[in-house]
Amino acid sequence: MAIKITGTGSFIPESIERNEDFHEHQFLNTDGSKIDYPNEVIVEKFKAITGIVERRYADKQLTSSDLGFLAAQKAIDDANVDMETIDYIICAHNFGDVKHDTIQSDILPCLASRIKHRLRIKNPKCVAYDILFGCPGWVEGVIQAQAYIKAGMAKRCLVIGSETLSRVVDKHDRDSMIYSDGAGASIVEALDGEDGILAHETATFTYDEAYYLFFGKSNNKDISSDTRYIKMHGRKIYEFALTNVAQAMKDCLDKSGLDISEVKKVLIHQANEKMDEAIVKRFYRLYKAKAPKDIMPMSIHKLGNSSVATVPTLFDLIRNNKLDNHKINKGDVIIFASVGAGMHINAIVYRY
């Protein structure tokens, strides 16, 4: 039996926020003081490190569950399956539905239930639930879907990653330029064969790392202390990811029994171009090998960091020949990998 991704879909918002749109922002240090550099310099340094030129923001009337529904619909159509035969809907997100210009998260009912409702699935035995697993949420959802299928509890699952990070950022924080909105979805099901998911690896580091990403006050001290925004210790995350993501990928590949030379693509969470490049180089170095050219597709330049949506969106773009210079052929070995709040790390070795 093979456990495969048979359909994918993504929703990329149309509204584009370019780097130059941040030239008029009031960026502040964490203590509230003014940053010494002009915004043009701040933005240019940001681009050099992250690779981000522009990002996408959801239309005002759309919430995260709306984005997830639109991506899910595409995945179902792509897989050409009957929605009523889906056993589980697993929706990964971080902040629920946050309406435009509000600060309150809405997760009642859960986003997976909202998406099931929008899909008009009647079958009550189609179980819908959310997972909060930081940016690695979609990858973890695929791992959970695999577990249900292996246990005989399911034959077909819908896994979604959806987020509207633009609505939980502190506009006075330079890190706000990283985040974007989007959704990606996939159908995971059991088929005859030996391809699909070959191995997985998951870990949670909390002893020192639990609060590398957290909710905190605005850098603008004039804003109400009751309002919280997504914050991060960027340098600590970089150093943590460099070592631990590369090792998780190696552990996963070793479990699969495959050789490093068989890997054709590494689809890693689109968090920071320089960090992702360093992780992949470290991964290959663990095998005393050099990372091949074009091994790591990137969508962050145009789409930014949409958290749980980055990996499934990237996969969907490549499958549909919408990413220049990147293609996946039948039989190719792919590694999915991610790191994020928790701090969580995971990886999947997958034969397409």
Side-chain angles (χ1 to χ4, degrees), residues 17 19 22 27 46-47 49-57 135 165-166 169-170 173-181 213 230-232 234 237 269-273 275 300-307 310:
E17 192 83 359
N19 282 359
F22 290 90
F27 291 121
F46 165 83
K47 176 188 171 184
I49 294 170
T50 65
I52 298 172
V53 177
E54 58 190 44
R55 72 286 295 142
R56 302 298 182 101
Y57 289 171
C135 294
L165 290 177
S166 67
V169 295
D170 174 13
D173 188 336
R174 285 171 286 186
D175 290 339
S176 65
M177 292 187 285
I178 293 173
Y179 301 114
S180 64
D181 307 337
L213 278 146
I230 184 172
K231 297 285 181 175
M232 66 177 177
I237 292 171
H269 167 50
Q270 306 290 285
N272 174 317
E273 183 178 37
M275 184 178 82
I300 194 171
H301 310 105
K302 297 290 187 180
L303 301 184
N305 175 358
S306 55
S307 185
T310 68

Side-chain angles (χ1 to χ4, degrees), residues 115-142:
I115 292 169
K116 180 183 175 183
H117 172 75
R118 288 286 304 277
L119 290 169
R120 309 310 293 155
I121 295 174
K122 296 178 180 178
N123 179 14
K125 292 186 179 181
C126 170
V127 179
Y129 72 93
D130 295 357
I131 58 172
L132 300 176
F133 204 74
C135 294
W138 177 83
V139 176
E140 195 64 23
V142 172

Side-chain angles (χ1 to χ4, degrees), residues 18-33:
R18 296 178 175 85
N19 282 359
E20 51 267 33
D21 295 329
F22 290 90
H23 286 177
E24 302 304 317
H25 277 227
Q26 183 191 36
F27 291 121
L28 302 170
N29 293 307
T30 55
D31 63 2
S33 62

Side-chain angles (χ1 to χ4, degrees), residues 267-324:
L267 274 56
I268 194 166
H269 167 50
Q270 306 290 285
N272 174 317
E273 183 178 37
K274 290 285 186 273
M275 184 178 82
D276 288 356
E277 287 175 347
I279 289 169
V280 171
K281 285 180 182 177
R282 176 72 64 92
F283 168 60
Y284 274 87
R285 207 175 297 141
L286 292 172
Y287 288 97
K288 296 181 172 56
K290 185 178 179 181
K293 184 183 177 182
D294 293 331
I295 192 73
M296 184 183 72
M298 296 294 290
S299 61
I300 194 171
H301 310 105
K302 297 290 187 180
L303 301 184
N305 175 358
S306 55
S307 185
V308 292
T310 68
V311 177
T313 297
L314 184 60
F315 187 41
D316 182 56
L317 289 172
I318 298 171
R319 286 185 77 237
N320 288 287
N321 299 312
K322 292 182 179 179
L323 201 67
D324 292 343

Side-chain angles (χ1 to χ4, degrees), residues 193-327:
E194 297 179 352
D195 294 341
I197 299 172
L198 304 180
H200 74 271
E201 183 74 15
T202 304
T204 298
F205 295 79
T206 60
Y207 193 82
D208 295 313
E209 306 88 352
Y211 291 95
Y212 283 0
L213 278 146
F214 60 99
F215 242 24
K217 297 179 182 179
S218 171
N219 290 2
N220 185 344
K221 303 310 173 186
D222 293 333
I223 292 178
S224 168
S225 60
D226 292 333
T227 306
R228 296 289 188 273
Y229 306 89
I230 184 172
K231 297 285 181 175
M232 66 177 177
H233 298 299
R235 171 51 58 180
K236 289 184 177 180
I237 292 171
Y238 183 96
E239 293 170 352
F240 169 82
L242 186 59
T243 300
N244 293 290
V245 177
Q247 187 61 51
M249 289 162 62
K250 183 181 187 301
D251 292 344
C252 193
L253 185 61
D254 290 347
K255 280 183 185 178
S256 75
L258 300 180
D259 189 81
I260 184 70
S261 63
E262 297 180 73
V263 177
K264 299 301 182 185
K265 296 290 178 187
V266 175
L267 274 56
I268 194 166
H269 167 50
Q270 306 290 285
N272 174 317
E273 183 178 37
K274 290 285 186 273
M275 184 178 82
D276 288 356
E277 287 175 347
I279 289 169
V280 171
K281 285 180 182 177
R282 176 72 64 92
F283 168 60
Y284 274 87
R285 207 175 297 141
L286 292 172
Y287 288 97
K288 296 181 172 56
K290 185 178 179 181
K293 184 183 177 182
D294 293 331
I295 192 73
M296 184 183 72
M298 296 294 290
S299 61
I300 194 171
H301 310 105
K302 297 290 187 180
L303 301 184
N305 175 358
S306 55
S307 185
V308 292
T310 68
V311 177
T313 297
L314 184 60
F315 187 41
D316 182 56
L317 289 172
I318 298 171
R319 286 185 77 237
N320 288 287
N321 299 312
K322 292 182 179 179
L323 201 67
D324 292 343
N325 303 318
H326 290 284
K327 190 175 181 180

